[in-house]
């Protein structure tokens, strides 16, 4: 039987349970908070990171997964006798991690000239469980006997449909990350406005603004009703289990069926959204 490894990075926000269930390898990002370096998924739980983030003096910085780290991983797979590796990357427009993986794949032949292992690098064009969910589904398909080309095609098709609807209860972090302009963020803080942000591939737009924290979740659900294709897959997530439960309940009521899953935002993603965020991942109309 052919042996295929499936690899992603920690911005996929795949839970430990799903990571172990599907045998997914996850390369972690490094994050620097007030001069101290941490490895995502290793040094801190999500909840510990939210607490650290809330008290940070400066906006933390994340580092890409390097070409050297990818090459080490690919060589290890080759030495184990893998026939194929599927690596699914964080959005290439927001991180050079994707390009680092491509460079490592090109350099593999020189490092392991005897290996015929194929490396498939797939750009998710997105963040968090928007791609993490489909990485898990790809692993399930492989376990069920699907061939590698069909799984890669599945991933590329899925990523041509997925969108993120995001909001947060404090705008400090999203302002620094550039998701909304500094002027809009400042006005929002003064007026108690909260943006509903729609992320599609490499574009980010504030599609609505709601007044007050109590309207954030209903505002997200209203946008989900507009953009979710009938019967499409959706998931709900955030940085607070209580908010996630409330959001999932309202989604089920308004959309007519339960989310496919729930998730916590990991450190790399929460660094940009802040420690008080909620999100709905939806399947929208196909774009590519």
């Amino acid at each position: 039987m052919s042996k295929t490894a499936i690899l992603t990075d920690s911005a996929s926000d795949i839970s430990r349970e799903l990571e172990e269930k599907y045998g997914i390898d996850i390369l972690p990002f490094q994050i620097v908070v007030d001069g101290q370096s941490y490895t995502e998924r290793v040094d801190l739980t999500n909840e510990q990171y939210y607490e650290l983030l809330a008290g940070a003096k400066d906006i933390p910085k994340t580092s890409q997964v390097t070409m050297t780290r990818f090459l080490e991983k690919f060589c290890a797979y080759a030495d184990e006798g893998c026939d194929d590796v599927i690596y699914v990357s964080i959005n290439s427009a927001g991180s050079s991690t994707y390009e680092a993986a491509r460079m490592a794949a090109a350099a593999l032949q020189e490092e392991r000239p005897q290996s015929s292992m194929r490396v498939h690098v797939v750009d998710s064009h997105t963040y968090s469980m928007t791609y993490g969910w489909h990485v898990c589904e790809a692993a399930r398909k492989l376990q069920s006997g699907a061939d590698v080309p069909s799984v890669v095609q599945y991933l590329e098709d899925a990523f041509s449909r997925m969108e993120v609807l995001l909001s947060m209860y404090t705008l400090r972090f999203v302002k620094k990350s550039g998701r909304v302009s500094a002027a809009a963020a400042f006005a929002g803080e003064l007026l108690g406005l909260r943006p509903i942000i729609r992320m599609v591939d490499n574009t980010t737009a504030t599609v609505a603004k709601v007044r007050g924290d109590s309207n954030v979740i209903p505002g997200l659900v209203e946008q989900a009703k507009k953009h979710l294709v009938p019967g499409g897959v959706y998931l709900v997530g955030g940085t607070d289990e209580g908010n996630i439960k409330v959001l999932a309940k309202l989604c089920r009521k308004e959309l007519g069926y339960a989310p496919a899953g729930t998730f916590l935002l990991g450190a790399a993603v929460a660094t940009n959204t802040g420690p008080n965020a909620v999100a709905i991942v939806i399947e929208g109309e196909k774009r590519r």
Side-chain angles (χ1 to χ4, degrees):
M1 292 181 63
S2 63
K3 183 177 180 181
T4 303
I6 190 156
L7 175 69
T8 190
D9 49 65
S10 57
S12 62
D13 293 343
I14 294 170
S15 68
R16 294 285 186 191
E17 179 185 2
L18 292 175
E19 175 188 5
E20 294 173 2
K21 178 179 180 179
Y22 293 115
I24 298 166
D25 281 345
I26 300 176
L27 289 176
F29 284 98
Q30 297 295 125
I31 301 176
V32 177
V33 184
D34 294 336
Q36 178 67 45
S37 181
Y38 301 91
T39 301
E40 186 172 14
R41 301 176 72 92
V42 175
D43 295 327
L44 297 166
T45 65
N46 289 331
E47 292 84 357
Q48 288 172 333
Y49 184 72
Y50 303 153
E51 185 175 347
L52 185 69
L53 186 59
K57 296 178 182 177
D58 299 311
I59 299 298
K61 297 180 180 179
T62 58
S63 300
Q64 70 171 69
V65 182
T66 65
M67 173 190 168
T68 299
R69 183 71 187 92
F70 277 115
L71 188 55
E72 290 173 350
K73 194 69 175 174
F74 293 159
C75 286
Y77 286 139
D79 294 343
E80 293 169 6
C82 284
D83 298 292
D84 291 271
V85 177
I86 301 173
Y87 166 63
V88 182
S89 167
I90 184 177
N91 192 345
S92 63
S95 173
S96 53
T97 297
Y98 169 80
E99 191 57 35
R102 285 176 54 87
M103 292 170 62
L108 180 63
Q109 186 61 42
E110 184 176 340
E111 291 293 320
R112 294 293 187 274
Q114 77 284 0
S115 175
S116 59
M117 185 181 75
R118 295 168 293 270
V119 180
H120 312 266
V121 181
V122 181
D123 184 358
S124 73
H125 301 281
T126 190
Y127 305 91
S128 192
M129 275 293 275
T130 321
Y131 69 101
W133 175 261
H134 292 290
V135 171
C136 293
E137 182 64 10
R140 187 196 66 76
K141 288 177 178 293
L142 289 170
Q143 289 179 357
S144 298
D147 60 32
V148 170
S150 69
V151 170
V152 172
Q153 180 60 46
Y154 159 77
L155 288 167
E156 292 175 344
D157 180 72
F159 299 146
S160 72
R161 302 170 186 270
M162 301 307 292
E163 305 180 13
V164 183
L165 297 166
L166 170 71
S167 191
M168 60 290 300
Y169 299 99
T170 176
L171 303 182
R172 173 191 170 205
F173 296 87
V174 76
K175 179 174 66 175
K176 290 287 187 179
S177 74
R179 301 299 177 204
V180 294
S181 72
F186 179 72
E189 294 283 15
L190 285 178
L191 301 174
L193 297 176
R194 304 289 179 256
I196 306 297
I197 298 171
R198 184 183 179 207
M199 303 175 69
V200 180
D201 293 337
N202 303 332
T203 64
T204 301
T206 299
V207 292
K209 293 180 181 178
V210 297
R211 187 177 297 277
D213 292 349
S214 62
N215 289 315
V216 166
I217 287 176
L220 282 171
V221 176
E222 189 61 31
Q223 290 300 316
K225 290 166 69 175
K226 291 181 180 181
H227 299 290
L228 177 68
V229 297
V233 170
Y234 78 94
L235 303 96
V236 300
T239 55
D240 179 88
E241 291 282 7
N243 284 335
I244 292 171
K245 290 179 180 178
V246 172
L247 179 55
K249 183 177 180 180
L250 186 59
C251 280
R252 182 168 187 168
K253 176 184 176 183
E254 295 294 325
L255 300 177
Y257 57 102
T262 62
F263 61 95
L264 285 172
L265 297 178
V269 176
T271 294
N272 292 296
T273 66
N276 300 103
V278 283
I280 308 176
V281 167
I282 65 169
E283 180 184 353
E285 297 290 345
K286 187 172 182 177
R287 301 178 294 278
R288 290 184 300 280

